Amino acid sequence: MSISVTWHGHATFSLNINGTHIVVDPFFAGNNPAAKTAVDAVDADFILQTHGHGDHIADTVALAKRTGATVIANFEICNWIAAKGHEKVHAMNTGGGYNFPFGRVKMTAALHSSGLPDGSYGGDPGGYLLMADGKTVYIAGDTALFSDMSLIGRAGIDLAILPVGDNFTMGPEDSVLALDYLKPQMVVPCHYNTWPPIAIDVNAWAESVKQETAVTPIILQVDETYTL
Ligand code: NI
Ligand code: MN
């Protein structure tokens, strides 16, 4: 019984929960300049979609169609994916939770935007609390710092996946403040160094986390896996 988390670069992750493969925000090699893995090489039973931006959804339809995975997303994104010919979707909305076979998923708020690549309305952006196997993982999605993260933290987070790259999302300083609200055991950074506007010194960020919080930072290399 375990949860493993693999970072594919930018905001794309694969989670393996006792053999169920969950891909977060599919954006793979060919589209994602930070990725090494091609979308054709990835297993997926479920896809967790935080919002509609291209750097999160570019490979969602291709991955869903090849694998037959169920796409979990907000209502508007689910309709958009169904209209592209993949009807295996599970629509949710902010604040709602649902018990899937692998565990419970709750959609959290995010302070961002969510337009789809073709200009379609993508609903509200979100994040996810994933509760499985006695562990809680928080995937913040693209977001600014907001004080209601303290409510999300009441779930008792083992591992938080936070954007830290600045410009489009929280930067290094705000993501350290976010840890005060979320109080996870561990934090994995993402959404940094993919392009020049989000280039940061991630080791300096990790040093700030160690000095200013009780949280353990875990910096993953591309395609590296951490097992909870
Ligand atoms: Ni975004
Ligand atoms: Mn993004």
Side-chain angles (χ1 to χ4, degrees), residues 25-26 47-54 56-61 64 70-94 107 112-128:
D25 286 353
I47 295 170
L48 266 182
Q49 194 70 47
T50 64
H51 65 294
H53 289 160
H56 299 255
I57 206 168
D59 289 310
T60 298
V61 172
T70 299
V71 181
I72 301 169
N74 73 26
F75 179 76
E76 290 81 3
I77 291 173
C78 283
N79 285 346
W80 185 81
I81 286 168
K84 300 225 175 270
H86 184 80
E87 295 189 353
K88 217 166 152 194
V89 294
H90 183 105
M92 299 183 69
N93 217 323
T94 314
M107 187 177 276
H112 193 67
S113 59
S114 184
L116 287 154
D118 61 5
S120 299
Y121 175 61
D124 287 330
Y128 292 99

Side-chain angles (χ1 to χ4, degrees), residues 25-67:
D25 286 353
F27 183 49
F28 287 95
N31 288 316
N32 179 349
K36 294 178 180 166
T37 297
V39 67
D40 291 345
V42 178
D43 286 334
D45 300 299
F46 291 87
I47 295 170
L48 266 182
Q49 194 70 47
T50 64
H51 65 294
H53 289 160
D55 58 319
H56 299 255
I57 206 168
D59 289 310
T60 298
V61 172
L63 179 61
K65 284 185 175 175
R66 180 179 58 79
T67 60

